[in-house]
Amino acid sequence: MAQSQPLSGKRVACLAADGVEDVEYTQSRAAAEQAGAEVHLISLQSGEIQSMNQDINPANRYRVDRTVNDVNAADYDGLLLPGGTVNPDRLRMNPQAMNFVQAFFQQHKPVAAICHGPWSLVETGMVNGRTLTSFPSLRTDIRNAGGSWVDQQVQVDNGLITSRSPSDLPAFCAKMVQEFAQGEGVPQMATA
């Protein structure tokens, strides 16, 4: 990217749990950090999380910076939700994690979700009236939650950035950095 540090001075929360898709976590985080952001890995418990390759092959372990019980969306400028099927499934079962996600919408802050990451958006009711993309298996969940699903590399809907899969990471990361730099948040819509 031609701009050196468009996210300089910004803080990004990356919400992930065991089972996060390694490349979606590492590449998205690296893109935000290379753009100048301070990124914190937020998870359900302290310690480390186990990332995976293609959902079934253990990859790496990453140190958790803060737990969902110890953070406030007001302290961050944007939220990153990487995928993998197990990771968002664990997150959506945790009320504190879902409150954290919902707070970004309530505070009109940008949110970026890739692959299965939008499951957290479905769980919080934040897809109603929005257009987004995801891994194709979430299409019905998104439609049932009142959203419109499109099959595109990256979709932006008022500060909500979504992508389908690891193959979309270059487009996703570029758009995430751009939207986080603008800082225009996602207006909260009425839930169904």
Side-chain angles (χ1 to χ4, degrees), residues 67-146:
T67 69
V68 292
N69 295 327
D70 300 325
V71 292
N72 188 318
D75 296 329
Y76 294 95
D77 299 294
L79 174 64
L80 169 60
L81 297 168
T85 56
V86 173
N87 162 51
D89 197 51
R90 289 177 193 264
L91 293 174
R92 67 185 179 156
M93 296 299 294
N94 184 286
Q96 290 83 10
M98 293 303 92
N99 288 340
F100 186 62
V101 171
Q102 197 165 28
F104 281 84
F105 288 86
Q106 293 164 344
Q107 295 173 24
H108 308 289
K109 295 183 177 183
V111 174
I114 186 168
C115 198
H116 289 79
W119 256 342
S120 293
L121 309 177
V122 168
E123 187 66 30
T124 59
M126 294 294 113
V127 302
N128 187 39
R130 301 185 200 285
T131 301
L132 60 158
T133 192
S134 67
F135 195 76
S137 65
L138 274 66
R139 174 180 39 229
T140 300
D141 295 339
I142 289 167
R143 288 180 178 155
N144 287 344

Side-chain angles (χ1 to χ4, degrees), residues 28-67:
S28 300
R29 180 175 184 149
E33 288 177 338
Q34 288 166 7
E38 177 184 344
V39 181
H40 293 161
L41 175 57
I42 314 298
S43 195
L44 305 177
Q45 299 172 31
S46 59
E48 295 181 330
I49 61 169
Q50 174 68 57
S51 69
M52 305 296 277
N53 288 325
Q54 296 140 354
D55 285 324
I56 57 171
N57 301 307
N60 298 297
R61 297 190 66 76
Y62 298 100
R63 184 181 56 80
V64 172
D65 296 308
R66 292 178 173 77
T67 69

